[in-house]
Amino acid sequence: MSTPYLTRRSQLETYFDRTAVEAWSRLTSDAPVSKIRATVRAGRDAMRTNLLGWLPEDLTGLRLLDAGCGTGALAVEAARRGAEVVAIDVSPTLIGLARERLPAIPGPGSVDFRVGDMLDPWLGRFDHVVAMDSLIHYQAPDIVRALAELSLRTDGSLLFTVAPRTALLTLMHAAGKLFPKADRAPAIVPVTEGGLRRRILREPALGRFAIGRTRRVNSGFYLSNAIELRKQASPPTAGAASR
């Protein structure tokens, strides 16, 4: 990946592993939080429910990558539906919290929490990949490059979220600078859905993926747009078509 991607990844690791450990620990738990954080928690819950709803109800026997898993809420829910989940995050501290909170998973599902880069090819192949709010910190070219890398090892669908570029989000970012640092998220990069779609359509590695469902979740200081990329069946060869 490009240097901007690697630089941003390093910044995110520092933020989540040092600067905001306590804030994110509380946000991803049932502990009381500020009104600002409460809107973010509610929005994240709604987005997680939406993304899980785009996956098969029965995930038994399927392998899923939770790319940028944080403290693992989505990974746990997918495992409860039977998936073999690899959940990875750049923050050792968040992965430590995820392991501490991991409940018993009844049935065949499992969760393997790992520290590292979600684009690591050694993670193997997956039926589905979910990147919830883990690409929102990157510029559009790096988002598409990341999706291209992930697509090479994805046999079903790629589900991800981006920060939509809206007047409201711009205003929220400006207002956010007035709040204490504990209530601030790391810088996100708003993108236009139309521009992102055009980049996706131009990316050769994504040629076999079609853009499917989209959904925007708006909850106070949480604004995120989910997009589905679904792999299409291989076209028949000329010989096969003539038979």
Side-chain angles (χ1 to χ4, degrees):
M1 284 295 289
S2 64
T3 298
Y5 171 86
L6 297 175
T7 300
R8 175 62 78 176
R9 188 189 67 184
S10 177
Q11 293 169 345
L12 292 171
E13 180 180 356
T14 299
Y15 176 84
F16 287 111
D17 213 37
R18 303 176 191 174
T19 309
V21 172
E22 180 60 26
W24 275 86
S25 175
R26 294 177 67 85
L27 178 68
T28 56
S29 70
D30 295 327
V33 291
S34 69
K35 291 182 179 180
I36 294 170
R37 290 283 179 181
T39 66
V40 175
R41 177 188 282 171
R44 285 175 57 82
D45 289 347
M47 180 57 78
R48 183 169 58 254
T49 298
N50 176 73
L51 293 173
L52 287 165
W54 286 356
L55 293 169
E57 185 61 32
D58 184 1
L59 293 168
T60 302
L62 300 182
R63 198 161 186 258
L64 182 142
L65 176 65
D66 186 355
C69 65
T71 54
L74 188 146
V76 168
E77 290 303 313
R80 284 175 172 158
R81 285 157 57 173
E84 176 191 336
V85 183
V86 174
I88 191 165
D89 201 279
V90 295
S91 168
T93 301
L94 291 184
I95 290 297
L97 284 171
R99 288 171 176 158
E100 290 175 10
R101 295 176 181 178
L102 180 62
I105 306 293
S110 63
V111 183
D112 177 9
F113 286 114
R114 304 187 191 183
V115 178
D117 189 340
M118 61 185 173
L119 303 184
D120 187 344
W122 291 103
L123 295 173
R125 297 197 67 81
F126 297 91
D127 296 285
H128 301 283
V129 173
V130 181
M132 175 179 154
D133 295 349
S134 52
L135 295 175
I136 62 175
H137 308 286
Y138 298 95
Q139 299 284 345
D142 282 327
I143 292 174
V144 175
R145 290 190 195 102
L147 293 172
E149 290 282 341
L150 292 168
S151 75
L152 299 177
R153 301 181 299 281
T154 303
D155 296 320
S157 65
L158 271 167
L159 312 180
F160 65 100
T161 63
V162 296
R165 183 180 295 169
T166 66
L168 176 60
L169 188 58
T170 301
L171 178 61
M172 286 164 56
H173 280 183
K177 295 179 181 179
L178 303 176
F179 292 107
K181 289 184 178 180
D183 276 327
R184 295 185 200 170
I188 65 176
V189 182
V191 299
T192 62
E193 184 176 335
L196 188 63
R197 281 173 174 265
R198 288 190 290 273
R199 287 182 179 275
I200 289 172
L201 293 174
R202 291 198 300 266
E203 171 54 53
L206 295 172
R208 286 185 56 196
F209 283 78
I211 299 174
R213 291 166 286 191
T214 65
R215 188 188 173 192
R216 184 170 296 183
V217 172
N218 186 354
S219 172
F221 271 72
Y222 181 89
L223 180 58
S224 189
N225 199 64
I227 300 174
E228 175 190 47
L229 297 181
R230 184 164 293 279
K231 194 168 189 178
Q232 306 300 292
S234 299
T237 63
S242 64
R243 288 196 291 270

